[in-house]
Amino acid sequence: MRTAATPGPRRRPAALTTLMATVAAVVLGSAGCGSSDPAPGAGPSSAATTPAGPITVRDPWVKAADRGMTAAFGTLVNNSDTDITVVSASTPVSPMELHEMTMKDGRMVMQPKVGGIVVKAKGSHVLEPGGDHLMLLNVTAPVKAGDELTFTLTFADGKTLQFSAVAKPFTGAGESYDPGHPSMSMSPAT
């Protein structure tokens, strides 16, 4: 009985192997060169951090939305001995503001967070539905469940931190970011 020969591993030409090794060395070698950005494609559930940076973002996510407004959430962790203030956030898909939910005239309203978000020394600050959050004011394209968005936080000292967050469907906390929805009352900063 005759059996078909099983093909062996394909061999690459020596020039291609050398080229691939050179490209890998350049990519890996440049990855450790003073960039303050996290590695591209860092998982959304992993903390985003800068080398020796004092702030990390734990469990970042963004609420999926077809249009209009949505928000990003997670936990800001301050590993330093001094308070750190987040003064702004940005993303390529929408203008952004730092927001808070607060009681005003007996009802919950959303408003810009005056003075920024302070993360206490050796502490953390939760960004969550119904509380402080990173508000995307007008997404330029639908943000679908599973999409990964990149955000940049800017701190009072001018330093920045970039992180990625995956979009999730979410209907909890009774929040709607549609300006016409009764649970979404925008209040100007006071």
Side-chain angles (χ1 to χ4, degrees), residues 67-120:
R67 60 181 158 62
M69 294 189 275
T70 191
F73 311 99
T75 302
L76 305 174
V77 179
N78 181 350
N79 302 303
S80 78
D81 294 324
T82 59
D83 294 353
I84 295 178
T85 303
V86 179
V87 295
S88 68
S90 63
T91 183
V93 302
S94 174
M96 291 187 72
E97 290 181 350
L98 306 177
H99 275 196
E100 66 182 346
M101 297 294 291
T102 188
M103 289 298 290
K104 191 171 268 189
D105 298 326
R107 61 182 224 186
M108 238 4 196
V109 295
M110 182 183 314
Q111 64 187 23
K113 181 97 171 159
V114 176
I117 296 171
V118 178
V119 187
K120 295 291 185 185

Side-chain angles (χ1 to χ4, degrees), residues 7 10 17 38 54 57 82 84 90 96 104 109 115 121 138 142 146-147 153 157 177 183 187:
R10 294 178 66 187
T17 301
V57 182
T82 59
I84 295 178
S90 63
M96 291 187 72
K104 191 171 268 189
V109 295
N138 187 20
D147 287 354
L153 299 179
D157 65 3
Y177 297 122
S183 70
S187 175

